[in-house]
Amino acid sequence: EVQLVESGGGLVQPGGSVSLSCAAFGFTFSSYWMSWVRQAPGKGLEWVANIKEDGSAKYYVDSVKGRFTISRDSAKNSLFLQMNSLRAEDTAIYYCATLIMVGGVTWYVDLWGRGTLVTVSS
Amino acid sequence: DIQMTQSPSSLSASVGDRVTITCRASQSISSYLNWYQQKPGKAPNVLIYGATSLQSGVPSRFSGSGSGTDFTLTISSLQPEDFATYYCQQSYSIPWTFGQGTKVEIK
């Protein structure tokens, strides 16, 4: 079955760190750009980061630059998000997702995981 | 950053109604606009990409239109399974941004 399964979320103190993982099943992981998108409780969606198929290009929303690092391991069919210096406003469900490019130009988020909740609180 | 503004933020409609949701970008984004549907407790699913292209498997009652700064998602005949929150998203430039969402509720 084609799916993405996130793990690693939980309760973390402000200023702390957490590492999220996303395991990919049923498709050729190494052929896809990947993304993290988050959603604060009861709020809308926020794009967090993208990574190219081979990991050679990475993009971040300004609010996480210098604190979060997206990475991938194609041998393990896995995507990661290392989150440091966490703040209360980072509290959210974090979704792992595949990206599709159409016509060489336009992008959309295709396959989503179920998400993992990160709560930043003392 | 490009701001995406959806309207309305919520609406009440009946089964069979025609529903229209609009999304406005703070600058031109050509046709780099996607629409997603999210049901409570679930991850979003793409409905429309590139402003007008229907994702495979999505019912034909969903359609998208627009280009530049103004876009529309239309549900031609609302079905019970369509009650959900809908988001637009621009992929024209980094950072990608979403609209605030439109919650479609049962009247």
Side-chain angles (χ1 to χ4, degrees), chain B residues 8 13 18 20 24 28-29 51 56 67 74 85 87 89 91 98 105:
Chain B
R18 182 181 182 88
T20 299
R24 175 164 288 178
S28 178
I29 58 170
S56 176
S67 66
T74 300
T85 300
Y87 294 93
Q89 176 245 334
S91 60
F98 290 85
E105 299 175 302

Side-chain angles (χ1 to χ4, degrees), chain A residues 1 13 41 48 65 89 103 122:
Chain A
E1 181 185 358
Q13 291 192 337
V48 174
K65 279 181 185 175
E89 55 265 34
S122 55

Side-chain angles (χ1 to χ4, degrees), chain A residues 39 105 107-110 112-113, chain B residues 32 34 36 38 43-44 55 91:
Chain A
Q39 186 169 35
V105 196
W107 293 86
Y108 66 91
V109 183
D110 185 28
W112 299 69
Chain B
Y32 302 148
N34 307 312
Y36 301 87
Q38 186 179 33
Q55 172 71 332
S91 60

Side-chain angles (χ1 to χ4, degrees), chain B residues 11-19 77-79 83 105-107:
Chain B
L11 65 90
S12 295
S14 300
V15 173
D17 283 354
R18 182 181 182 88
V19 169
S77 178
L78 197 66
Q79 298 301 300
F83 292 95
E105 299 175 302
I106 301 172
K107 194 173 202 177

